[in-house]
Amino acid sequence: DPLPPTRRNDMKDLLNLFNQQRQTLDFVFFKIALATEIHTLSQVEGNKSEAARRLGVTRRTLHLKLKKYGLME
C-alpha cells in the first residue's frame, strides 16, 4: 500500500466523515422535497393531478411517494 498507516487512517476517517455528511445532506433534501410536496398539495386543496403537474412529476409518482411515507391511504 503506497500510504503509510497513519495516512491510511486519516483517509478512512475523512471518507467516513464525508459519508456521514452526505447522508445528512440527502436527508435534508428528502425533508425539503417532502415539505414541498405537502405544501403544494395544500395550495391546490388536495388536487393530486394539479400538485403533480406543479411538481413536475406524474400523478402516479406523487401518489406512490405519499403512500410510501404514510401521507395517504
Side-chain angles (χ1 to χ4, degrees):
D1 204 356
L3 290 174
T6 55
R7 296 294 287 167
R8 218 174 308 138
N9 287 336
D10 289 347
M11 291 298 290
K12 285 180 185 177
D13 290 344
L14 187 60
L15 286 172
N16 284 336
L17 179 61
F18 174 77
N19 284 332
Q20 289 170 358
Q21 289 176 343
R22 188 186 64 195
Q23 289 171 356
T24 300
L25 190 56
D26 287 346
F27 183 70
V28 168
F29 283 134
F30 161 76
K31 294 295 258 185
I32 291 169
L34 193 56
T36 300
E37 291 161 359
I38 292 168
H39 177 72
T40 302
L41 269 171
S42 75
Q43 283 183 321
V44 298
E45 300 175 358
N47 183 326
K48 291 179 199 68
S49 295
E50 179 60 17
R53 187 189 67 74
R54 290 184 184 193
L55 292 165
V57 297
T58 66
R59 186 180 186 287
R60 178 171 166 72
T61 297
L62 180 61
H63 174 82
L64 291 174
K65 279 183 163 184
L66 295 173
K67 189 173 181 179
K68 179 178 181 178
Y69 297 109
L71 299 172
M72 70 175 289
E73 296 176 1

